[in-house]
Amino acid sequence: MIDENPYIPPNSTNQTLPLTGAQGYPARPMRFWRIQQLKADMREHPLSDRESIPYLIAFVLASLLPSLIVFDDLNHWDLASDTGGLVITLAAIVYLFHRNGGSTGKHFLQRYFAIGFVTSIRCLAAFLVFGIANAAFQDGLGILSDVTTMFDFMTIVACHLFLYWRIGIHISQIATWTARTPNSG
């Protein structure tokens, strides 16, 4: 027996449900523990981009919070770097969601992950050069250290901000293009 298509409601005329909006559907609460209920919700109709954002934020938090647990002798710049990275990442998700068109935007998660990955790879080369230049600068001043310093912290923050700014530009360009082009998604 073939499973029914979860995107086609029963007794429909074979019209697929919108993947980017939940118009006509009641708002669903975020699920924290009940995986079967989440799967049933998603089988009924896919999560909209707006409904996916809390899961993305929770996933990022769950992924980054262990790095804030101090196991070694870390200095205050290590803690500032980790905390700053977490705050910037969470703020960037909101920023990027709005660059994609906010709650009327489409395909946020696929744009976020795909464009974010390619942009990260492209920025990696620049970040390596920037990091080497930062180390040379600190060495020239005689302040190069084996522990995280204010200069390291500023470098990390600058790299995070630059990366998310570039991702935002690319996401915004695609969102604008697809809004102007019929049948582009």
Side-chain angles (χ1 to χ4, degrees), residues 133-146 149 151:
N134 180 38
F137 174 73
Q138 289 183 48
D139 191 38
L141 293 176
I143 58 172
L144 187 61
S145 175
D146 290 339
T149 66
F151 292 108

Side-chain angles (χ1 to χ4, degrees), residues 122 126 141 156:
R122 292 175 57 142
L141 293 176
I156 291 166

Side-chain angles (χ1 to χ4, degrees), residues 84-107:
L86 178 64
V87 169
I88 290 169
T89 300
L90 294 175
I93 291 170
V94 174
Y95 162 75
L96 295 172
F97 181 74
H98 287 287
R99 295 289 294 185
N100 190 53
S103 48
T104 61
K106 296 180 179 180
H107 313 297

Side-chain angles (χ1 to χ4, degrees), residues 20 28 30 32 47-61 89-113 171:
T20 58
R28 297 178 285 191
M30 183 176 176
F32 287 87
L47 295 174
S48 68
D49 283 348
R50 176 71 175 92
E51 291 172 312
S52 298
I53 294 298
Y55 290 100
L56 176 60
I57 290 172
F59 182 77
V60 168
L61 280 172
T89 300
L90 294 175
I93 291 170
V94 174
Y95 162 75
L96 295 172
F97 181 74
H98 287 287
R99 295 289 294 185
N100 190 53
S103 48
T104 61
K106 296 180 179 180
H107 313 297
F108 172 70
L109 292 178
Q110 65 178 265
R111 291 174 182 172
Y112 174 79
F113 287 116
I171 285 177

